[in-house]
Amino acid sequence: MKAALLTIGSELLDGRITDTNSVYIERELLGKGIVTSAKLTVRDDMNEIRAALDYLASYAECIIVTGGLGPTVDDLTRKAVAGFLGRGLEFDASVYVMVESYFRRLGRKAPVGNKSQANVIDGSKVIPNPNGTAPGFYIDTVYNTRPLVIAAFPGVPSELRGMFPAFIDRLSSESSIPSVYVRTVGLPEGLLNDRIAELLPDGMSFGTIATPGMTDLRFDNASRAEIDALLDKSPLVRRKTYSFDPDETIAAAVVREMTARGKRLTTAESCTGGMIASMITDAAGSSMVYLGGVTVYDNRMKERLLNVSADTLAEYGAVSHETSLAMLAGLRGIADTDYRIAVTGIAGPSGGTDAKPVGTVFIGFGGADGDTSLRFNIPGGRGMVRARASAKAFEILYDALIYGKPDMDKMGALEIRRGNGG
Amino acid sequence: MKAALLTIGSELLDGRITDTNSVYIERELLGKGIVTSAKLTVRDDMNEIRAALDYLASYAECIIVTGGLGPTVDDLTRKAVAGFLGRGLEFDASVYVMVESYFRRLGRKAPVGNKSQANVIDGSKVIPNPNGTAPGFYIDTVYNTRPLVIAAFPGVPSELRGMFPAFIDRLSSESSIPSVYVRTVGLPEGLLNDRIAELLPDGMSFGTIATPGMTDLRFDNASRAEIDALLDKSPLVRRKTYSFDPDETIAAAVVREMTARGKRLTTAESCTGGMIASMITDAAGSSMVYLGGVTVYDNRMKERLLNVSADTLAEYGAVSHETSLAMLAGLRGIADTDYRIAVTGIAGPSGGTDAKPVGTVFIGFGGADGDTSLRFNIPGGRGMVRARASAKAFEILYDALIYGKPDMDKMGALEIRRGNGG
């Protein structure tokens, strides 16, 4: 079964409200093996709603409508669906009892306008609303010789969530293999696509989803075992895969692996300015593995908190291998942990030079094997440079955790400098 | 002119990604007086994309497409639009130079798959992408005897935002008064709504948009002068208004005001774990005002970096007025700045007690007037507690900047404790 979502409301098209209902509905449907093939938002306009129903009915067997069930004149969902199906719409006293009882619980009388909420489409089933006045409905019918289910819910998230589970239990569960997600870090989308495309068996399909420094793969019609077999053919993709959970961030995966191995970490950040610390501490349980760190934005802080010498800063600059290695040494002086990360770079928009343009970032990593500093040239604006530098730091950490020490040659660095510490 | 948005990507229909691009685009269009009349998301399927273009072209004069411009086989936007308009699609060497130069900045060669990104539809204009590989395009044409503009952008938010302003400047501005945005911090949405509703003159309308700790107001059909007159009637709302720029974060506003006043800041974070530092350093120019700070997640780091005594931690606990004030004192020992912020709390999910449940957060503020610690009880999950605590810290800083010292009685704290420092 293919489903389509139709959201009704002019207020959803003026840049004010981020739609969160559809993410909820899509997940609930996927849990039943039902794929959402389209979602459409239209204004409170009778003609446009009718046209939208017509368009969606042409390729989905289930249309889920949200919004437009309120008591006001611009709430058109009931009338539009009745008109679309050519069915009658009549006041139902037993439904009005539900609407009235909601107001009674609030100690108030139902306003006159709310009477329209008790209008029911011929042959529809009413879905009670425990958290508001607007009842929902669903209709199981045939449209243009094909089966069609139309269900309607209020757009208020708490009301929708109180009603949707009862509806979805009525939909037959279909036999389908859910998608498998593969989350990778550090591989550009194009390269990842090339590698997977050349290894992909017949009948399997995939797509990529890129975020700064990270790319996800989504495989349809494939089991986890088949994906594992495929990944075994590309050691690079396998190595850069950090999770099969579509919701696990790279920081959460690092926290998970550090917890399992009893490892601990400190950080020293300049250009990422606390972003790495914030990503780690966003993960529940991070207090077991992350001691803390310093944000040494100003050079005085590098000297004061990390003992980076004024000579090093003057001679090589704050953005240099020498400073990133000195920051690692400074962290060792603060706490004795298994891993240390230091980042210094030029996020922009200003501060770049010919020798060190915006996007020049040095990432220092300290582990059992000593200290290493990597130089990168990261494209993009300020936010992108920060996000990609942070992702790279986690990529190095994850590699160190899984393989004992990171393979620095596979990090895409322009230069690699070994330090003395360890 | 009516616009419609078409978002392409199977990954946007499986309950993982909340669409934020459309809110951005709708706002930008509204600023030009252009109403968005529908938004539609479809999968990476050639037939479905073609059908979607056909449906949207039936009632919008401008279709803005996002997604499907990547280098992979499931990126179909260029082919679909060319097919829909019956136009040719050809490789353009000058566009490939742009794609290649992006990879050159990374110190890498462009993968073979990225060649497809240089395919250009006959008669289209290319929109360069400074933050990624995928160029966009726009076409100004006639479809079914009506004028039609089709523009296409990558779905990655930072890439879209880097390209959209250049496009929208080409669209003719229509006569309309743009919306006025009022960004507030620390006021609950319901309270703000009630205050504005009772002051609102006839003919003016508004809406609220809430994010953790912050609520925006959007006024339609109102000038900035009228909004100023309205805000003058509510000293509370006026005081908590930090920006009229819909894109300026509270952290960026604090950086702006600190720069104007030559003030400087350090931070010490426990439960927010670097989030405040990261929000500040996300703002360009923050290096002029923010020296840096410490993320003292573990108690040893509080002792080591901030000289919080083991006795204080043992007697009062890490989450206490005593510890937040000791963290402020520790910051004073590191650097002599105008302002200092210290945050310690229980973000959850574990760690709460009857006396100090999850959501208990102490925020210390140090300024010319000495040190103060405020106790809050912040509702919501881990992410919400961290985000709201960070917003509260910025609310205090902004108040201090504009009024010389913050009005601590208006911060919604459960307790206020004065320290000795200053």
Side-chain angles (χ1 to χ4, degrees):
Chain A
M1 182 185 270
K2 282 201 296 189
L5 314 189
L6 175 59
T7 307
I8 295 171
S10 304
E11 77 279 10
L12 298 162
L13 288 159
D14 63 4
R16 290 170 49 208
I17 298 172
T18 301
D19 168 34
T20 54
N21 284 341
S22 63
V23 168
Y24 164 77
I25 296 173
E26 290 157 17
R27 280 200 185 188
E28 292 292 310
L29 290 172
L30 260 191
K32 282 273 182 179
I34 299 167
V35 169
T36 300
S37 58
K39 58 182 165 191
L40 172 60
T41 303
V42 297
R43 298 183 293 181
D44 301 303
D45 176 291
M46 185 61 84
N47 290 332
E48 293 181 8
I49 298 171
R50 291 277 293 269
L53 286 166
D54 202 53
Y55 165 68
L56 294 176
S58 69
Y59 70 97
E61 294 89 46
C62 174
I63 300 176
I64 293 172
V65 185
T66 52
L69 292 177
T72 66
V73 286
D74 61 356
D75 286 304
L76 300 169
T77 298
R78 280 174 295 262
K79 266 189 203 161
V81 173
F84 170 70
L85 294 175
R87 297 195 185 193
L89 185 68
E90 273 180 57
F91 179 76
D92 184 324
S94 69
V95 175
Y96 191 56
V97 168
M98 287 188 207
V99 177
E100 275 191 313
S101 79
Y102 181 81
F103 282 98
R104 207 173 307 122
R105 277 162 54 202
L106 295 175
R108 289 212 307 263
K109 280 191 71 173
V112 178
N114 289 74
K115 260 196 142 160
S116 67
Q117 295 184 306
N119 290 339
V120 171
I121 299 172
D122 291 351
S124 71
K125 301 250 186 338
V126 169
I127 305 173
N129 180 352
N131 302 322
T133 62
F137 64 82
Y138 80 95
I139 299 169
D140 202 339
T141 185
V142 170
Y143 182 79
N144 280 350
T145 76
R146 289 169 50 212
L148 177 67
V149 171
I150 300 183
F153 300 88
V156 180
S158 60
E159 298 184 24
L160 168 68
R161 276 156 225 248
M163 299 161 74
F164 203 76
F167 161 70
I168 202 162
D169 284 344
R170 295 175 175 273
L171 286 181
S172 60
S173 194
E174 309 220 342
S175 62
S176 87
I177 305 170
S179 301
V180 176
Y181 290 91
V182 175
R183 309 204 76 173
T184 69
V185 61
L187 297 177
E189 187 178 15
L191 182 147
L192 188 58
N193 184 74
D194 290 353
R195 291 285 168 107
I196 298 298
E198 68 191 20
L199 296 171
L200 199 73
D202 284 347
M204 202 190 284
S205 66
F206 78 104
T208 55
I209 310 142
T211 51
M214 282 164 280
T215 306
D216 289 355
L217 291 160
R218 201 199 69 235
F219 293 91
D220 300 318
N221 305 315
S223 67
R224 171 68 193 272
E226 290 173 293
I227 305 301
D228 271 324
L230 188 150
L231 293 183
D232 283 342
K233 293 182 193 154
S234 173
L236 178 67
V237 178
R238 167 69 81 184
R239 185 158 187 140
K240 299 296 184 183
T241 294
Y242 71 84
S243 192
F244 293 89
D245 173 351
D247 292 322
E248 189 174 52
T249 63
I250 178 69
V254 162
V255 167
R256 160 170 54 78
E257 292 299 330
M258 290 187 74
T259 306
R261 289 166 167 76
K263 303 287 187 187
R264 289 172 324 144
L265 170 73
T266 51
T267 56
E269 301 182 64
S270 185
C271 67
T272 49
M275 189 181 247
I276 294 171
S278 186
M279 287 171 75
I280 296 173
T281 58
D282 188 50
S286 51
S287 60
M288 301 300 291
V289 301
Y290 181 58
L291 291 196
V294 293
T295 304
V296 287
Y297 221 51
D298 190 275
N299 278 351
R300 283 162 289 185
M301 298 296 267
K302 294 184 184 76
E303 294 178 36
R304 189 70 201 250
L305 289 170
L306 293 172
N307 271 318
V308 179
S309 78
D311 288 349
T312 297
L313 291 167
E315 190 171 344
Y316 303 101
V319 178
S320 63
H321 284 305
E322 288 76 8
T323 296
S324 91
L325 291 169
M327 287 166 71
L328 288 179
L331 282 179
R332 229 181 300 120
I334 293 171
D336 178 28
T337 56
D338 308 279
Y339 299 123
R340 295 167 295 285
I341 286 284
V343 185
T344 180
I346 302 158
S350 60
T353 64
D354 283 350
K356 290 174 186 171
V358 167
T360 301
V361 176
F362 292 83
I363 301 182
F365 169 80
D369 203 46
D371 291 353
T372 309
S373 170
L374 306 182
R375 177 182 185 150
F376 297 94
N377 191 0
I378 301 176
R382 181 179 179 85
M384 202 67 120
V385 169
R386 286 159 48 89
R388 286 183 170 153
S390 299
K392 187 58 74 178
F394 285 112
E395 179 186 348
I396 295 167
L397 276 171
Y398 192 78
D399 219 49
L401 281 158
I402 305 298
Y403 297 97
K405 64 175 188 169
D407 184 348
M408 294 302 193
D409 294 331
K410 297 268 166 58
M411 296 297 164
L414 298 179
E415 296 168 6
I416 301 176
R417 176 85 58 91
R418 301 281 307 169
N420 303 313
Chain B
M1 183 185 270
K2 282 201 297 188
L5 314 189
L6 175 59
T7 307
I8 295 171
S10 304
E11 75 279 10
L12 299 161
L13 289 160
D14 63 4
R16 293 178 55 214
I17 299 172
T18 301
D19 168 34
T20 54
N21 284 341
S22 62
V23 168
Y24 165 77
I25 295 173
E26 290 158 16
R27 272 195 196 185
E28 292 292 309
L29 291 172
L30 261 190
K32 281 273 181 180
I34 299 167
V35 169
T36 301
S37 58
K39 58 182 164 191
L40 172 61
T41 304
V42 298
R43 298 183 294 181
D44 302 302
D45 177 291
M46 185 61 83
N47 290 332
E48 294 181 8
I49 298 170
R50 291 278 293 269
L53 287 166
D54 202 54
Y55 165 68
L56 295 176
S58 70
Y59 70 98
E61 293 89 47
C62 174
I63 300 177
I64 294 173
V65 185
T66 52
L69 292 177
T72 67
V73 286
D74 61 355
D75 287 305
L76 300 169
T77 297
R78 280 175 293 265
K79 266 189 203 161
V81 173
F84 170 70
L85 295 174
R87 296 195 185 193
L89 185 69
E90 271 178 59
F91 179 78
D92 184 324
S94 68
V95 175
Y96 191 57
V97 168
M98 287 187 206
V99 177
E100 274 191 314
S101 77
Y102 182 81
F103 282 96
R104 205 172 309 121
R105 279 163 56 202
L106 292 174
R108 287 214 303 268
K109 283 191 66 171
V112 178
N114 288 73
K115 261 200 143 158
S116 67
Q117 294 185 305
N119 291 338
V120 171
I121 299 172
D122 290 351
S124 71
K125 301 251 186 335
V126 169
I127 305 172
N129 179 352
N131 301 322
T133 63
F137 64 83
Y138 81 95
I139 301 168
D140 202 338
T141 185
V142 170
Y143 182 78
N144 280 349
T145 75
R146 290 169 50 212
L148 177 67
V149 172
I150 300 183
F153 300 89
V156 180
S158 60
E159 299 183 24
L160 168 68
R161 276 156 223 250
M163 299 161 74
F164 202 76
F167 160 71
I168 202 161
D169 283 344
R170 295 176 175 273
L171 286 181
S172 61
S173 196
E174 310 221 344
S175 64
S176 85
I177 305 171
S179 301
V180 176
Y181 289 89
V182 174
R183 309 205 74 174
T184 69
V185 61
L187 296 177
E189 188 176 16
L191 182 148
L192 187 59
N193 188 74
D194 290 352
R195 291 283 169 109
I196 297 298
E198 68 190 19
L199 297 171
L200 200 73
D202 284 347
M204 202 190 284
S205 67
F206 78 104
T208 55
I209 310 141
T211 51
M214 282 163 279
T215 305
D216 288 357
L217 291 161
R218 203 201 72 233
F219 293 91
D220 300 317
N221 304 315
S223 68
R224 172 66 194 272
E226 290 172 294
I227 304 301
D228 271 324
L230 188 150
L231 292 183
D232 283 342
K233 293 183 193 155
S234 173
L236 178 67
V237 178
R238 167 70 80 185
R239 184 159 187 139
K240 299 296 184 182
T241 294
Y242 70 85
S243 191
F244 293 90
D245 173 351
D247 290 321
E248 189 174 51
T249 63
I250 177 71
V254 162
V255 167
R256 160 170 52 79
E257 292 300 330
M258 290 188 74
T259 306
R261 289 166 168 75
K263 302 288 187 186
R264 291 172 322 145
L265 170 73
T266 50
T267 55
E269 301 182 64
S270 184
C271 68
T272 49
M275 188 180 247
I276 293 171
S278 185
M279 287 170 75
I280 296 172
T281 58
D282 188 50
S286 50
S287 60
M288 302 300 291
V289 301
Y290 181 58
L291 291 196
V294 293
T295 303
V296 287
Y297 220 52
D298 191 276
N299 278 351
R300 281 162 290 185
M301 299 294 268
K302 295 184 183 75
E303 295 178 35
R304 189 69 201 251
L305 289 169
L306 293 173
N307 271 319
V308 179
S309 78
D311 288 349
T312 297
L313 291 168
E315 190 173 345
Y316 303 103
V319 179
S320 64
H321 283 306
E322 288 76 9
T323 296
S324 91
L325 291 169
M327 287 165 71
L328 288 179
L331 282 178
R332 230 180 300 119
I334 294 170
D336 178 27
T337 55
D338 308 279
Y339 299 124
R340 295 167 295 285
I341 286 285
V343 184
T344 180
I346 303 158
S350 59
T353 63
D354 284 349
K356 291 174 185 170
V358 168
T360 300
V361 175
F362 292 82
I363 301 182
F365 170 80
D369 203 45
D371 292 352
T372 309
S373 170
L374 304 183
R375 178 183 185 149
F376 297 94
N377 192 359
I378 301 176
R382 181 179 180 85
M384 204 67 121
V385 169
R386 285 159 49 89
R388 287 184 169 151
S390 300
K392 187 59 72 178
F394 285 111
E395 179 186 348
I396 295 168
L397 276 170
Y398 192 78
D399 218 50
L401 282 157
I402 305 299
Y403 297 98
K405 64 175 188 169
D407 184 348
M408 294 303 194
D409 294 330
K410 295 268 167 58
M411 295 299 165
L414 298 179
E415 298 167 6
I416 301 176
R417 176 86 58 90
R418 301 283 306 170
N420 303 314

